[in-house]
Amino acid sequence: MRILITGSEGFVGKNLVAGLKNRGYEDVYLYDRGNSTEELEKWTQDCEFVFHLAGVNRPETEEEFMEGNADLTSQLTELLEKNHNQAPIMISSSIQAEKDNPYGKSKKAGEDYIFEYGERNDVPVYVYRFSNLYGKWSKPNYNTVIATFCHNIAHGLPIQVNDSTVKITFQYIDDVINELINCLEGNATKVDKFCDVQEKDTRTLGEVAQLVESFKESRKTLEVPNMGDSFTKKLYSTYLSFLPEDDFSYKLKMNQDDRGSFTEFLRSPDRGQVSINVSKPGITKGQHWHHSKNEKFLVVKGNGMIRFRKVGEDKVIEYPVSGEELEVVDIPTGYTHSIVNTGEEEMVTVMWVNEPFDTDNADTYYLEV
């Protein structure tokens, strides 16, 4: 299928082009500011579907609203009509089209052009009124408040929240792209005469700011954001896309002594804590037991032995472990346990515990195996 995309270098356009290529669509005409009217006329001759995403939302003058949103739409439909091309057309509009402001008026005018064009030529038209799109490749101080918050916080710049109680409905770019490709394939989500993206999240401005701030702090607290919440998961992905290119990595605090090291990696209030334990040859660690706390050990380098003894009994159970054959060993409650490096190199163990360490309630009792 030959697909024409206007505004191909914009936020939605870049994501759509990538999404289409990932789905195997390769015959795509890309129209943006750098292209000529002649190219647009040529592509409107044989394109089989049109994604009309081009537009402006922060021009230097109010007149540019109408030029970039309504006039270009009129030009596009005139070329399609001139070339007797009845390709279905999708247009990117905005919830602002319902409001009496220059941007909203220009978007409404573009909608009217499309609806009239569709009726006049018996062409399927799909009008999407998007609301506060966010995601990778968005622009700060242009596309959405989320882009601005993520950019500024990731770069150590201040953010401005005039009213933290204001509620905003957001739509994630990947959900938008999935819907647009569904539209291309004949499965658009219609709501009356408009189309819509079903996945939406409404949050207060204060909630968004607090979440993004927590993402930056998570490098210090090591807390994993709540990925069970769809909005938090998508917002975190967006935040990471704004990290400065010289700030992708961060150091962890290594607790080192003559036995090796112990380093906490990740923690969450409901999914526990992950740490990396390094033991030198011949070193034994552990020698304790828990009432309720439970762990999983995974040796990823070196060779060792994990030993268990049920509290109050004499029988010792041994589990040999090696980085050459990855095997998870559960550490049951009520068993004192230890892990010893039996090899000639450092042994590295990934350790998970079901709860973050709490000095006031450690639930850890020394007892040799």
Side-chain angles (χ1 to χ4, degrees):
M1 181 181 289
R2 293 179 296 277
I3 302 167
L4 169 61
I5 303 176
T6 71
S8 58
E9 294 182 12
F11 172 38
V12 179
K14 286 176 64 176
N15 279 276
L16 178 59
V17 170
L20 288 170
K21 288 184 177 179
N22 290 341
R23 303 280 188 97
Y25 291 97
E26 298 180 353
D27 203 354
V28 183
Y29 302 143
L30 305 181
Y31 177 83
D32 210 89
R33 290 193 179 103
N35 297 103
S36 65
T37 303
E38 289 73 25
E39 287 176 297
L40 183 61
E41 180 167 10
K42 175 184 176 183
W43 293 333
T44 53
Q45 291 175 6
D46 67 347
C47 63
E48 297 171 282
F49 193 98
V50 180
F51 286 109
H52 182 37
L53 309 175
V56 295
N57 57 9
R58 291 182 185 271
E60 294 182 3
T61 65
E62 288 189 2
E63 289 75 16
E64 291 180 60
F65 277 123
M66 200 61 72
E67 293 172 4
N69 294 323
D71 293 354
L72 180 58
T73 302
S74 176
Q75 180 186 23
L76 174 64
T77 55
E78 287 173 3
L79 288 173
L80 288 167
E81 202 164 19
K82 173 185 174 183
N83 292 320
H84 306 290
N85 188 337
Q86 291 187 296
I89 182 169
M90 168 271 162
I91 182 173
S92 168
S93 188
S94 166
I95 55 172
Q96 292 290 321
E98 300 175 347
K99 299 185 177 181
D100 187 22
N101 58 51
Y103 177 63
K105 289 178 179 178
S106 67
K107 283 295 187 181
K108 180 65 167 59
E111 291 178 357
D112 292 342
Y113 279 135
I114 289 295
F115 282 128
E116 291 169 6
Y117 166 78
E119 290 179 9
R120 189 169 63 249
N121 295 279
D122 194 25
V123 169
V125 297
Y126 306 95
V127 178
Y128 285 84
R129 284 183 169 178
F130 294 132
S131 59
N132 299 289
L133 305 186
Y134 71 102
K136 66 185 183 302
W137 305 335
S138 52
K139 295 179 181 179
N141 304 306
Y142 187 82
N143 288 125
T144 174
V145 65
I146 285 181
T148 305
F149 280 3
C150 288
H151 173 272
N152 285 18
I153 290 172
H155 288 77
L157 301 173
I159 62 172
Q160 182 176 343
V161 181
N162 295 324
D163 185 352
S164 62
T165 65
V166 170
K167 290 185 176 182
I168 302 177
T169 298
F170 298 100
Q171 294 176 316
Y172 185 54
I173 190 61
D174 286 6
D175 296 328
V176 171
I177 298 309
N178 286 336
E179 169 61 27
L180 294 187
I181 295 177
N182 285 341
C183 176
L184 171 69
E185 296 174 348
N187 298 306
T189 303
K190 280 267 192 177
V191 181
D192 296 326
K193 68 176 184 176
F194 294 98
C195 297
D196 201 7
V197 179
Q198 291 182 309
E199 294 81 2
K200 299 178 184 179
D201 290 283
T202 300
R203 301 294 173 102
T204 67
L205 203 56
E207 284 181 280
V208 175
Q210 188 175 25
L211 270 174
V212 180
E213 291 279 13
S214 75
F215 298 156
K216 186 178 182 68
E217 287 299 307
S218 69
R219 286 187 166 190
K220 299 176 183 176
T221 65
L222 304 183
E223 284 212 3
V224 179
N226 179 14
M227 297 302 175
D229 176 68
S230 177
F231 179 71
T232 300
K233 180 180 179 181
K234 296 168 182 176
L235 185 62
Y236 184 60
S237 295
T238 303
Y239 170 76
L240 290 180
S241 74
F242 282 93
L243 288 177
E245 293 184 357
D246 60 354
D247 196 32
F248 287 180
S249 67
Y250 57 101
K251 296 184 182 299
L252 298 174
K253 179 185 176 183
M254 297 179 66
N255 300 294
Q256 296 175 292
D257 57 26
D258 56 1
R259 300 175 303 162
S261 65
F262 183 82
T263 306
E264 185 179 344
F265 174 32
L266 298 171
R267 62 162 54 197
S268 68
D270 61 340
R271 293 294 186 271
Q273 174 179 310
V274 178
S275 303
I276 309 299
N277 185 70
V278 179
S279 298
K280 294 181 179 179
I283 292 298
T284 298
K285 292 187 177 183
Q287 304 284 35
H288 59 240
W289 66 281
H290 315 289
H291 281 292
S292 298
K293 181 182 292 186
N294 54 88
E295 301 166 286
K296 293 179 184 289
F297 289 1
L298 173 63
V299 171
V300 296
K301 178 186 176 186
N303 296 280
M305 184 72 73
I306 301 176
R307 295 188 172 97
F308 300 90
R309 181 172 62 82
K310 184 179 288 187
V311 175
E313 298 184 4
D314 297 326
K315 179 182 178 182
V316 175
I317 304 164
E318 294 186 335
Y319 276 81
V321 287
S322 172
E324 294 181 1
E325 186 175 355
L326 299 186
E327 181 178 4
V328 176
V329 179
D330 275 316
I331 312 298
T333 55
Y335 282 82
T336 186
H337 52 276
S338 66
I339 180 169
V340 57
N341 183 347
T342 59
E344 298 180 355
E345 62 177 349
E346 288 186 336
M347 180 178 66
V348 180
T349 308
V350 178
M351 296 180 170
W352 171 86
V353 60
N354 68 320
E355 59 187 30
F357 182 74
D358 181 358
T359 54
D360 296 327
N361 184 25
D363 187 17
T364 301
Y365 306 93
Y366 177 78
L367 182 63
E368 291 188 7
V369 176

